[in-house]
Amino acid sequence: MRAMIRELTPYHVKNAEGYTLLDNNENFLNLLQDIDLNVIKQNVAINRYPSDNVDRLVAAYAAYVGLPAENVLAANGSDEWIALICQFALDPTDTMMVVSPDFSMYEKNGRLLGATVQSIALNEDFSLPLQTMLQEIEQWRPKCLFLSNPCNPTGRRYEVSDLDTLAIAMANVGGYFVVDEAYIEFAGGSYTEKAIRNENVIVLRTASKALGMAGLRLGFLIANRELINDILRIKPPYNVNQMSAVIGAAILSQPGLLRESLKRQKRQIEQLKVILEEFSSRHKKVQIYPSHTNFFLMETPDALDLYQFLNRHKIRVRAFGDGRLRHCLRISAGSETELTALKKSLEEWSLSACDRQAN
Amino acid sequence: MRAMIRELTPYHVKNAEGYTLLDNNENFLNLLQDIDLNVIKQNVAINRYPSDNVDRLVAAYAAYVGLPAENVLAANGSDEWIALICQFALDPTDTMMVVSPDFSMYEKNGRLLGATVQSIALNEDFSLPLQTMLQEIEQWRPKCLFLSNPCNPTGRRYEVSDLDTLAIAMANVGGYFVVDEAYIEFAGGSYTEKAIRNENVIVLRTASKALGMAGLRLGFLIANRELINDILRIKPPYNVNQMSAVIGAAILSQPGLLRESLKRQKRQIEQLKVILEEFSSRHKKVQIYPSHTNFFLMETPDALDLYQFLNRHKIRVRAFGDGRLRHCLRISAGSETELTALKKSLEEWSLSACDRQAN
């Protein structure tokens, strides 16, 4: 084992049975119920390596987002794209840049390759420290800059003009600008058109959030055709399995189904916002950050206690250990039933907090 | 893009439609036909990240091979394990060792990480050059040695005593010995018991060959519990998708189905052997190598011509470009229909070759 592997901690997937899951920003609707698996069965030879079915998946995703299929590649979730882009861009003597807080897998993959990771703290309100970033880019000349937009875990959407500035700065030092649009369906303002025109811009998309296919592991990379040809040098040939490809294509080919699903999610996001604002109005130390995603970041000195309380009531939300987010919880939108359970538990916590203050 | 990426060539997946596929050593039986997808549908929430379903898959595979589940991990095909083990073991200043010919992905992954790859040529009959390997291991102190057993693409099974010698030699230099048992169901003599007892031995297994699930992308790693705990530091948490996990577990839970499938495959391997020996008896320059797998390696100066002839007749077999195997074709066992097509085309080629000699 390499010495640096010792510094990495395993990611333990928690048992989900019996829990209300508001911790992973998933779609609460299971679209598999709308798919005829008997038709799927006729189109899949599971004994054969994936080939044509994956081409059809890519074509279906490209049609869904309105881009040419030649600008799109599929992988086993965005997670695989993050790993592959790091392998593509980073020698161990190179530097990558991330902001903090942001999705932790960017930094983990860079470190795994032995690259130097420059992490720039976001401003206190989670906006981009643009001038600092430009200076650091010039100084460190990173081979890649990863940024989720809207940002996971803060929920904030960045200005397109800021993204343009960063894209140019990264082009000037010969590095890639990778915009992870995992939550773009909730925000609008996609950067894909820029990716297609610029050889140093990559957009990542996922089927795991708004599209409701986290269990299928489908991530998409959108880039300029020349860049795609180079990335193909390291893309594993059989990284997307046939069942996910065929079911994914079937769902993507039903825009009405996806539109209705997005509408229902947006309604629940509004509902979650109301619940959290109510909660916040009862506790003056609770802050809810604005969000362009299907989750909200809440900050409170009681984050740990609230997390444990909700967990005892079989509700999972996301906590963050140390650092800037140590007093934050991230809570995803859920179904009516799930949000009712959340609302009830938050009210109970408020009452118990009130009791504690009285004593 | 890193400079070394330019040296890598993309792996183009060929369109399979309308072809008899004898090039990828797949099972010719589609076991999905024996699975009730309506039951599957009830057990999969595709909107959720995979968790419990993957645990059940690992338990089903462990039960199938008769090992404790704690010694087994699953990934997105053996391909992912090869990449992850290289990342786990190799700093860019390290050396990895492979033999040649062997499965090309070992070397490709080592090179991608910037490691030095020492490739040791097999003997002329494809047996292991054991003394040479021991000397090279002592000299280069590789951090890992990959070996497929039985060997893809030669079909040869190595002596267990030779594997033991290599495992000890690798332990002496602090490196891992990785035995890829992709075809072990056809050969017997698995090394898994040694893997469980030794902290430097890893066995890789796949569901893509005898088990007939290439389209699901399921690869398994078998190792000592301590080693598993360390490998978990770098295993992506959600690398196996839910559909593959649930369908894979359903198939693995039907040992009768798998036994019958293996019996039918072995019958067709015998059939393929008869066809190729007949062919070889007509052409004195054609050699068929002994095999403990579901494919045969054939050597003939006319390999390229025969490959193109079969391709024109819509039959895909595997050719190998330059190097030791430049005059070889690898041909997988197929169904009755597929092998009848192969036999007919081989007979036609023999007639045309006879004509050419007469002119």
Side-chain angles (χ1 to χ4, degrees):
Chain A
M1 175 167 68
R2 295 159 57 206
M4 74 79 54
I5 305 278
R6 256 179 235 292
E7 299 164 27
L8 303 175
T9 46
Y11 189 109
H12 286 296
V13 178
K14 290 177 179 149
N15 188 303
E17 274 181 22
Y19 279 85
T20 294
L21 300 173
L22 304 177
D23 56 342
N24 276 330
N25 309 335
E26 296 147 332
N27 186 340
F28 50 88
L29 298 167
N30 181 4
L31 301 182
L32 189 62
Q33 301 308 323
D34 296 275
I35 299 300
D36 185 347
L37 288 187
N38 294 316
V39 174
I40 299 286
K41 198 165 174 170
Q42 304 314 312
N43 293 319
V44 180
I46 59 165
N47 52 319
R48 301 294 177 186
Y49 283 92
S51 65
D52 315 346
N53 281 332
V54 178
D55 296 339
R56 281 190 281 270
L57 168 72
V58 167
Y61 189 78
Y64 169 72
V65 291
L67 296 172
E70 63 169 20
N71 293 105
V72 180
L73 290 176
N76 190 40
S78 284
D79 286 351
E80 187 179 21
W81 280 129
I82 295 165
L84 288 173
I85 292 169
C86 286
Q87 287 174 31
F88 181 74
L90 292 170
D91 276 311
T93 49
D94 288 332
T95 297
M96 82 180 275
M97 188 171 285
V98 296
V99 297
S100 176
D102 205 339
F103 185 44
S104 60
M105 291 301 275
Y106 312 144
E107 176 165 359
K108 183 164 183 177
N109 276 283
R111 288 175 58 205
L112 187 57
L113 294 173
T116 302
V117 180
Q118 283 296 324
S119 179
I120 316 291
L122 292 176
N123 296 327
E124 194 57 24
D125 66 350
F126 302 131
S127 60
L128 287 175
L130 198 62
Q131 288 314 313
T132 307
M133 290 180 78
L134 294 176
Q135 286 161 15
E136 300 273 338
I137 288 169
E138 215 170 307
Q139 182 184 343
W140 290 97
R141 308 181 71 81
K143 286 292 195 295
C144 57
L145 162 61
F146 279 83
L147 196 69
S148 63
N149 184 49
C151 176
N152 169 24
T154 71
R156 190 182 183 98
R157 180 176 64 182
Y158 303 126
E159 299 295 329
V160 171
S161 59
D162 287 358
L163 301 186
D164 288 343
T165 305
L166 291 171
I168 292 166
M170 287 302 292
N172 285 341
V173 301
Y176 298 103
F177 181 38
V178 186
V179 184
D180 182 350
E181 297 190 338
Y183 300 91
I184 199 72
E185 290 88 348
F186 305 110
S190 173
Y191 212 58
T192 49
E193 290 296 335
K194 296 281 171 60
I196 287 176
R197 285 205 305 274
N198 290 282
E199 271 190 53
N200 80 312
V201 176
I202 295 171
V203 165
L204 298 184
R205 290 286 193 90
T206 181
S208 300
K209 305 301 179 186
L211 299 185
M213 305 182 224
L216 299 185
R217 315 305 301 120
L218 294 174
F220 299 94
L221 176 145
I222 295 166
N224 180 278
R225 182 67 210 176
E226 272 65 36
L227 185 49
I228 294 250
N229 281 339
D230 282 334
I231 290 170
L232 281 172
R233 294 172 195 267
I234 64 159
K235 191 187 89 66
Y238 304 118
N239 53 344
V240 174
N241 77 91
Q242 290 216 50
M243 289 303 297
S244 295
V246 174
I247 294 172
I251 291 174
L252 287 164
S253 308
Q254 298 186 53
L257 181 67
L258 290 171
R259 242 189 332 265
E260 175 63 23
S261 157
L262 187 60
K263 206 169 101 188
R264 291 178 65 182
Q265 290 177 81
K266 285 183 172 171
R267 203 156 57 206
Q268 294 308 107
I269 294 168
E270 277 309 303
Q271 185 59 30
L272 174 61
K273 192 178 175 194
V274 170
I275 292 169
L276 295 180
E277 281 174 352
E278 256 177 41
F279 179 71
S280 161
S281 73
R282 294 197 295 267
H283 304 277
K284 60 175 185 282
K285 287 181 186 162
V286 170
Q287 183 177 1
I288 312 293
Y289 286 95
S291 171
H292 279 87
T293 65
N294 65 341
F295 61 83
F296 285 91
L297 192 71
M298 168 201 287
E299 188 156 25
T300 163
D302 298 315
L304 181 61
D305 184 68
L306 182 54
Y307 173 85
Q308 290 169 340
F309 182 91
L310 291 174
N311 198 47
R312 282 197 302 277
H313 288 70
K314 296 277 179 189
I315 295 173
R316 285 253 173 77
V317 300
R318 177 70 196 274
F320 295 94
D322 286 343
R324 168 70 183 89
L325 301 185
R326 66 195 176 285
H327 295 137
C328 289
L329 298 178
R330 193 191 65 193
I331 307 179
S332 323
S335 65
E336 293 268 355
T337 315
E338 289 167 340
L339 290 192
T340 302
L342 173 71
K343 183 178 156 79
K344 186 163 164 286
S345 288
L346 287 176
E347 283 168 359
E348 288 178 26
W349 187 86
S350 295
L351 284 171
S352 72
C354 187
D355 285 351
R356 282 201 300 274
Q357 283 185 339
N359 291 331
Chain B
M1 174 167 70
R2 295 159 58 206
M4 73 81 52
I5 305 278
R6 258 180 233 293
E7 299 164 27
L8 303 174
T9 46
Y11 189 109
H12 286 295
V13 177
K14 289 178 180 144
N15 187 301
E17 274 181 23
Y19 280 85
T20 294
L21 299 173
L22 304 177
D23 56 342
N24 275 332
N25 309 334
E26 297 148 332
N27 186 340
F28 50 88
L29 298 165
N30 181 3
L31 301 181
L32 189 63
Q33 300 309 322
D34 296 276
I35 300 299
D36 185 347
L37 288 187
N38 293 316
V39 174
I40 299 288
K41 197 165 175 170
Q42 304 313 314
N43 294 319
V44 180
I46 59 165
N47 51 320
R48 300 295 177 186
Y49 283 92
S51 64
D52 315 347
N53 282 332
V54 178
D55 296 340
R56 282 190 280 270
L57 168 73
V58 167
Y61 189 79
Y64 168 73
V65 292
L67 296 171
E70 64 170 19
N71 293 106
V72 180
L73 290 176
N76 190 39
S78 284
D79 285 352
E80 187 179 20
W81 281 129
I82 296 165
L84 288 173
I85 292 169
C86 285
Q87 286 174 32
F88 181 74
L90 293 170
D91 276 311
T93 48
D94 289 332
T95 297
M96 84 180 275
M97 188 171 286
V98 296
V99 297
S100 175
D102 205 340
F103 186 43
S104 60
M105 292 299 276
Y106 311 143
E107 176 164 0
K108 183 164 183 175
N109 277 282
R111 287 174 59 204
L112 187 57
L113 294 172
T116 302
V117 181
Q118 283 296 324
S119 179
I120 315 292
L122 293 174
N123 296 326
E124 194 56 26
D125 65 350
F126 301 131
S127 61
L128 288 174
L130 198 62
Q131 288 315 313
T132 306
M133 290 178 78
L134 294 176
Q135 286 162 15
E136 299 272 338
I137 288 170
E138 215 169 306
Q139 182 185 344
W140 290 97
R141 307 181 73 80
K143 285 293 195 295
C144 58
L145 163 60
F146 279 84
L147 196 68
S148 63
N149 183 49
C151 177
N152 170 22
T154 72
R156 190 181 184 104
R157 180 175 65 184
Y158 304 125
E159 299 294 329
V160 172
S161 59
D162 287 358
L163 301 185
D164 288 343
T165 305
L166 291 171
I168 292 167
M170 287 301 293
N172 286 342
V173 301
Y176 298 104
F177 180 39
V178 186
V179 184
D180 181 351
E181 297 190 337
Y183 299 91
I184 199 71
E185 290 88 347
F186 304 110
S190 173
Y191 212 59
T192 50
E193 290 297 335
K194 296 281 170 58
I196 287 177
R197 286 205 304 275
N198 290 281
E199 270 191 56
N200 79 312
V201 176
I202 295 170
V203 165
L204 298 184
R205 290 287 193 91
T206 181
S208 301
K209 306 300 180 185
L211 299 185
M213 304 180 224
L216 298 185
R217 314 305 301 122
L218 293 173
F220 299 94
L221 177 147
I222 296 166
N224 180 279
R225 184 64 210 176
E226 273 65 37
L227 185 49
I228 293 249
N229 280 340
D230 282 333
I231 290 170
L232 281 172
R233 294 172 195 267
I234 63 160
K235 190 188 89 66
Y238 303 119
N239 52 345
V240 175
N241 77 91
Q242 290 216 51
M243 288 302 299
S244 294
V246 174
I247 294 173
I251 292 175
L252 287 165
S253 307
Q254 299 185 50
L257 181 67
L258 289 171
R259 243 191 331 266
E260 175 63 21
S261 157
L262 187 59
K263 207 169 100 187
R264 289 177 66 181
Q265 290 177 82
K266 285 184 173 172
R267 205 157 55 206
Q268 294 308 105
I269 294 168
E270 278 309 304
Q271 186 60 30
L272 174 61
K273 192 177 174 195
V274 169
I275 292 169
L276 295 180
E277 281 175 352
E278 255 177 40
F279 179 71
S280 159
S281 73
R282 293 197 296 269
H283 303 277
K284 60 176 184 284
K285 286 179 186 164
V286 171
Q287 184 178 359
I288 311 295
Y289 286 95
S291 171
H292 279 86
T293 65
N294 65 341
F295 61 83
F296 286 90
L297 192 70
M298 170 203 284
E299 188 156 26
T300 163
D302 297 314
L304 180 61
D305 183 69
L306 182 55
Y307 173 84
Q308 290 168 339
F309 181 91
L310 292 173
N311 199 48
R312 281 196 303 275
H313 288 71
K314 295 278 179 187
I315 296 174
R316 284 250 173 78
V317 299
R318 177 72 196 274
F320 294 94
D322 285 345
R324 168 69 182 89
L325 301 184
R326 66 196 176 283
H327 295 136
C328 289
L329 298 178
R330 193 190 66 193
I331 307 178
S332 321
S335 65
E336 292 267 354
T337 315
E338 289 167 340
L339 291 192
T340 302
L342 174 70
K343 182 178 156 80
K344 186 163 163 289
S345 288
L346 287 176
E347 284 169 357
E348 286 177 28
W349 186 86
S350 294
L351 284 172
S352 72
C354 188
D355 285 350
R356 281 202 300 275
Q357 283 186 337
N359 291 330

